[in-house]
Amino acid sequence: MEKTLLLKLFTLLTLLLCCSVTSSSSSSVKDNLINVSKLKMFVDELPNIPRILGYKVVNGVPKSKSLKIGMFKKKWKFHRDLPPTTVYAYGLNKHTATVPGPTIEALYKISTKVTWQNHLPPNHILPWDPTIPTSLTNSTKGIPTVVHLHGGIHEPLSDGNPNSWFTSRFKIKGPTWTKKTYHYPNNQHPGNLWYHDHAMGLTRVNLLAGLIGSYIIRDPKIESPLGLPHGNEFDLPLMLFDRSFKTDGSIFMNSTGNNPSIHPQWQPEYFGDAIIVNGKAWPRLIVRRRKYRFRIINASNARFFRLFFTNGLRFVHVASDSAYIGKPVVSNETFVGPSEITDVIVDFSKSRSKVAILRNNAAYPYPSGDPVDEFSGRVMKFVILPDKEVDTSRIPEKLVEYPVVDLSSVTQTRYIAMYEYTSDIDEPTHLYLNGKPYEAPVTETPKEGSNEVWYVINLTDDNHPLHIHLGLFKVLDQTELVKSDEFKDCMKKINDAVKCHVEEHARGKKVLVPEYEKGWKNVFKMRPGFVTKIVVRFGYIHTNTSYGFDATSESGYVYHCHILDHEDNAMMRPLKIIK
Ligand SMILES: *[C@@H]1O[C@H](CO)[C@@H](O)[C@H](O)[C@H]1NC(C)=O
Ligand SMILES: *[C@@H]1O[C@H](CO)[C@@H](O)[C@H](O)[C@H]1NC(C)=O
Ligand SMILES: *[C@@H]1O[C@H](CO)[C@@H](O)[C@H](O)[C@H]1NC(C)=O
Ligand SMILES: *[C@@H]1O[C@H](CO)[C@@H](O)[C@H](O)[C@H]1NC(C)=O
Ligand SMILES: *[C@@H]1O[C@H](CO)[C@@H](O)[C@H](O)[C@H]1NC(C)=O
Ligand SMILES: *[C@@H]1O[C@H](CO)[C@@H](O)[C@H](O)[C@H]1NC(C)=O
Ligand SMILES: CC(=O)N[C@H]1CO[C@H](CO)[C@@H](O)[C@@H]1O
Ligand SMILES: [Cu+2]
């Protein structure tokens, strides 16, 4: 297996790495595909996604709690005019399971234990492609799943390693599977996380089928004094994703690969025609004339969202990904790459109109693909009640400031190059980080508690959102590569950024990091043709104490591109923490 992969790698390294990924969301009329213009916008209410407490209160004192959360195959109604859709949903039981799954609310320093239970019958509802490195090899034997809590700081055994998958009732288990119950200590800074499936080679299809949910860690000691909008009515996660449907209501995913002779089903990027928020296509929400907090999670496979309001309402950013930023940042738009989280306050009392449409104008694939149309360009509608409210929430001048990283403390510099390989018909076949398959021996081995600088070099035409498990990072700068063809040729030959003189090529124009993205992040959009410099911290950001769990244990962590179709094939590498 390894030998074949390496052979393939060397053959493919000699191929051109030039070509833009073509969009699979076609405008051609297909009889069995629903024409989204048939789905009237803004007719369904934004669903109230259930909340589950990840702690219990005993005599006024919060204590650790154990939860059992299942994965169920069920029907879900995405739109008034669409027949029910078969989905995979997380929930306490089949009846209450939702897409997205329940929001788990955890408390700082109170651990939450979750036994994730797979109740999915065999035969995947979506085309899963046996030719990419995958955990699903026999469709009659059950659907492999494993849950990753994105943004969580926890032991490797609870991290949802792609090979720690399990099928229904734990009947079959992946090679690195160790335990049923995951332990989330919640000892990290307060903020937004999300959980989703991470099984090897199935992440894109398991998420498309519905296996996503949000997870919030709260620290009242730090957050209450801020006075931001709070409570279930005024503080809402919004999970955004895109889906296409067939006329029978089922999820449409193209089952013909772009290189069918190599990968019969895999496509480089999934785009859907309908924009879904918290499980409904283009929903509406009636809001009061006051401030709301929206934790916007981009849970689409490949779509970027650049969100803005049509009536001039603005976003006040208070956090990005899992961490608060130091000061609020006001902007008229917010840009979220796959799996990024933007945490904003919107003050509807400033609205001059009775309705506000949340819109999107990011091209797909981003940045060089098609412009949005009237459908993917609209997200949801807010209907603003007329009466002025007494609003006691506020936006403080200062939020939460974490200590700055002293760059002289950096102990290691790494170069991470992103490669895309194409077939002789110029279609992408797969993507690798540093030209290596996932199975190749680990090369990134940071020390616990250390800070490292990573130069992420994008040698493809796409913007790849890089996600690192365990570590958090700050984006320092983004510099365009000059004489990039020369550099690319060299990289194709020897795959060594230092020997190819990356420093001499990283001298082009600089692109500023938006103010609201200068905080601690766990995903960032890596621009094509640029070197992005990040400082990664393999320790807590709010304290210098050690993790308090064994971060060095097998099977380690991973880092990967968060375009799920890329991650599955196989833009992902192991990450091993050492003492
Ligand atoms: C969908 O229907 C609209 C209105 O009937 C039509 O203009 C459009 O071309 C159709 N789109 C597709 C992809 O068939
Ligand atoms: C898949 O499993 C079934 C049931 O055990 C078995 O009959 C079948 O031969 C297997 N198929 C493959 C391709 O291994
Ligand atoms: C599915 O993908 C194939 C190969 O890329 C393409 O030819 C076909 O048009 C796609 N079908 C749809 C409905 O998008
Ligand atoms: C937001 O502001 C920027 C800079 O002022 C401007 O270029 C952009 O067009 C604005 N976007 C919208 C949607 O108004
Ligand atoms: C959402 O996330 C996907 C994949 O992580 C990414 O491709 C897409 O650009 C993101 N969209 C937005 C709006 O952030
Ligand atoms: C951790 O230690 C460094 C170096 O001594 C210091 O600059 C930083 O402020 C400390 N961080 C915290 C959260 O105490
Ligand atoms: C160094 C390098 O290969 N850069 C490429 C990155 O992507 C752009 C397209 O956006 C190409 O033009 C560059 O050649
Ligand atoms: Cu990617």
Side-chain angles (χ1 to χ4, degrees):
M1 177 71 171
E2 174 108 12
K3 208 167 162 191
T4 348
L5 273 171
L6 280 175
L7 253 175
K8 204 164 150 192
L9 164 68
F10 282 120
T11 331
L12 287 158
L13 266 173
T14 62
L15 293 169
L16 268 177
L17 304 168
C18 68
C19 307
S20 142
V21 177
T22 46
S23 152
S24 61
S25 100
S26 88
S27 50
S28 66
V29 195
K30 289 282 184 304
D31 288 342
N32 61 345
L33 266 183
I34 200 138
N35 181 332
V36 285
S37 72
K38 297 232 158 54
L39 302 179
K40 198 164 176 350
M41 287 185 178
F42 317 130
V43 292
D44 290 289
E45 301 299 331
L46 182 80
N48 220 337
I49 295 299
R51 304 201 182 209
I52 300 182
L53 294 187
Y55 57 93
K56 59 189 175 208
V57 181
V58 180
N59 298 329
V61 183
K63 299 263 194 231
S64 174
K65 186 165 162 190
S66 297
L67 299 168
K68 286 195 177 87
I69 299 181
M71 302 157 219
F72 303 93
K73 182 177 171 182
K74 69 180 284 185
K75 294 280 188 185
W76 183 259
K77 194 103 162 103
F78 280 102
H79 188 274
R80 183 191 72 184
D81 303 331
L82 196 64
T85 303
T86 303
V87 294
Y88 295 162
Y90 288 114
L92 293 176
N93 56 57
K94 183 167 177 171
H95 178 68
T96 58
T98 47
V99 178
T103 298
I104 301 174
E105 304 231 6
L107 271 190
Y108 177 59
K109 292 232 158 162
I110 308 293
S111 68
T112 303
K113 295 184 180 124
V114 185
T115 308
W116 299 100
Q117 296 177 324
N118 179 334
H119 299 287
L120 302 174
N123 291 316
H124 210 290
I125 58 172
L126 294 170
W128 45 275
D129 202 321
T131 63
I132 62 171
T134 178
S135 47
L136 180 50
T137 51
N138 186 330
S139 61
T140 64
K141 296 207 162 155
I143 313 281
T145 60
V146 63
V147 178
H148 170 57
L149 177 58
H150 179 116
I153 298 183
H154 46 245
E155 53 169 10
L157 302 181
S158 297
D159 195 51
N161 183 285
N163 283 319
S164 297
W165 52 267
F166 50 94
T167 60
S168 175
R169 291 166 215 281
F170 301 100
K171 238 185 256 152
I172 312 176
K173 302 186 269 279
T176 61
W177 184 89
T178 47
K179 59 180 187 181
K180 289 183 179 173
T181 301
Y182 277 14
H183 183 232
Y184 305 119
N186 304 319
N187 281 343
Q188 64 196 82
H189 57 282
N192 305 311
L193 292 74
W194 64 296
Y195 59 94
H196 63 75
D197 195 70
H198 214 288
M200 193 70 194
L202 293 177
T203 303
R204 74 197 182 295
V205 281
N206 286 351
L207 268 76
L208 264 187
L211 295 178
I212 54 173
S214 67
Y215 186 112
I216 300 174
I217 298 177
R218 299 187 189 278
D219 182 354
K221 216 164 118 194
I222 288 183
E223 295 182 281
S224 300
L226 300 178
L228 296 168
H230 68 277
N232 291 0
E233 190 180 354
F234 306 120
D235 175 5
L236 300 171
L238 298 180
M239 287 196 111
L240 268 50
F241 53 83
D242 53 340
R243 293 289 181 274
S244 285
F245 300 97
K246 296 189 200 163
T247 44
D248 65 1
S250 60
I251 296 171
F252 170 73
M253 187 179 187
N254 195 334
S255 57
T256 307
N258 61 321
N259 280 292
S261 62
I262 301 169
H263 299 304
Q265 300 183 311
W266 181 80
Q267 288 265 356
E269 271 151 16
Y270 175 90
F271 293 105
D273 299 329
I275 304 295
I276 318 285
V277 187
N278 289 357
K280 290 284 179 198
W282 302 289
R284 65 170 188 186
L285 177 68
I286 299 174
V287 292
R288 298 166 185 249
R289 225 158 242 286
R290 54 157 289 150
K291 291 187 273 307
Y292 280 70
R293 177 172 185 176
F294 298 115
R295 302 163 188 258
I296 304 175
I297 303 172
N298 172 5
S300 63
N301 282 34
R303 186 177 286 280
F304 286 66
F305 294 97
R306 193 190 291 112
L307 305 171
F308 63 99
F309 280 106
T310 42
N311 69 343
L313 277 175
R314 299 178 140 217
F315 301 99
V316 183
H317 294 261
V318 295
S320 66
D321 291 344
S322 70
Y324 277 101
I325 50 181
K327 289 191 188 101
V329 178
V330 183
S331 72
N332 60 356
E333 55 185 35
T334 180
F335 188 33
V336 255
S339 181
E340 282 189 314
I341 302 179
T342 182
D343 191 340
V344 295
I345 310 295
V346 176
D347 190 349
F348 292 103
S349 74
K350 302 241 162 78
S351 177
R352 274 156 291 157
S353 52
K354 281 188 216 140
V355 298
I357 309 288
L358 183 62
R359 301 197 49 165
N360 164 39
N361 66 5
Y364 63 99
Y366 188 81
S368 50
D370 298 331
V372 295
D373 58 20
E374 62 176 302
F375 304 103
S376 53
R378 286 179 171 74
V379 177
M380 68 179 286
K381 172 171 161 177
F382 295 92
V383 179
I384 304 151
L385 292 174
D387 299 332
K388 187 104 185 144
E389 289 268 322
V390 180
D391 183 356
T392 55
S393 72
R394 60 190 189 99
I395 300 169
E397 252 158 59
K398 279 196 177 160
L399 294 157
V400 185
E401 202 92 58
Y402 294 107
V404 291
V405 176
D406 176 4
L407 284 182
S408 69
S409 70
V410 166
T411 48
Q412 178 85 38
T413 299
R414 299 182 197 276
Y415 297 90
I416 312 292
M418 298 174 151
Y419 289 94
E420 176 179 295
Y421 306 91
T422 51
S423 66
D424 43 16
I425 56 164
D426 242 3
E427 282 286 318
T429 54
H430 63 296
L431 301 98
Y432 282 158
L433 292 169
N434 285 340
K436 292 185 166 64
Y438 177 69
E439 298 85 347
V442 63
T443 42
E444 280 63 60
T445 54
K447 252 193 160 136
E448 177 173 353
S450 72
N451 301 320
E452 299 195 344
V453 164
W454 289 21
Y455 291 94
V456 186
I457 308 164
N458 176 7
L459 297 173
T460 80
D461 281 347
D462 278 336
N463 195 320
H464 299 277
L466 187 80
H467 172 49
I468 303 176
H469 288 210
L470 187 72
L472 281 102
F473 58 84
K474 282 198 176 193
V475 184
L476 300 178
D477 66 44
Q478 312 177 84
T479 314
E480 190 164 29
L481 289 158
V482 295
K483 293 198 211 140
S484 66
D485 290 344
E486 191 183 301
F487 179 68
K488 210 157 151 176
D489 284 345
C490 176
M491 287 295 281
K492 273 187 279 168
K493 285 196 195 98
I494 62 171
N495 188 25
D496 184 324
V498 175
K499 290 199 180 128
C500 292
H501 308 289
V502 63
E503 314 242 327
E504 278 163 40
H505 289 280
R507 287 171 191 260
K509 76 166 185 239
K510 301 227 177 228
V511 171
L512 293 180
V513 182
E515 207 53 45
Y516 63 84
E517 292 193 290
K518 284 192 176 158
W520 285 102
K521 306 217 9 112
N522 56 44
V523 182
F524 190 72
K525 302 165 282 280
M526 300 302 169
R527 285 175 165 261
F530 275 70
V531 177
T532 303
K533 181 181 180 186
I534 61 178
V535 60
V536 196
R537 176 152 173 77
F538 293 98
Y540 293 114
I541 59 168
H542 68 300
T543 160
N544 278 329
T545 56
S546 69
Y547 281 131
F549 52 80
D550 183 7
T552 66
S553 62
E554 294 298 334
S555 45
Y557 301 92
V558 295
Y559 71 97
H560 57 85
C561 169
H562 222 294
I563 292 183
L564 307 177
D565 317 84
H566 296 177
E567 167 185 348
D568 277 345
N569 190 19
M571 218 172 170
M572 174 162 70
R573 289 284 297 149
L575 175 72
K576 173 95 174 118
I577 308 298
I578 56 172
K579 276 265 188 273

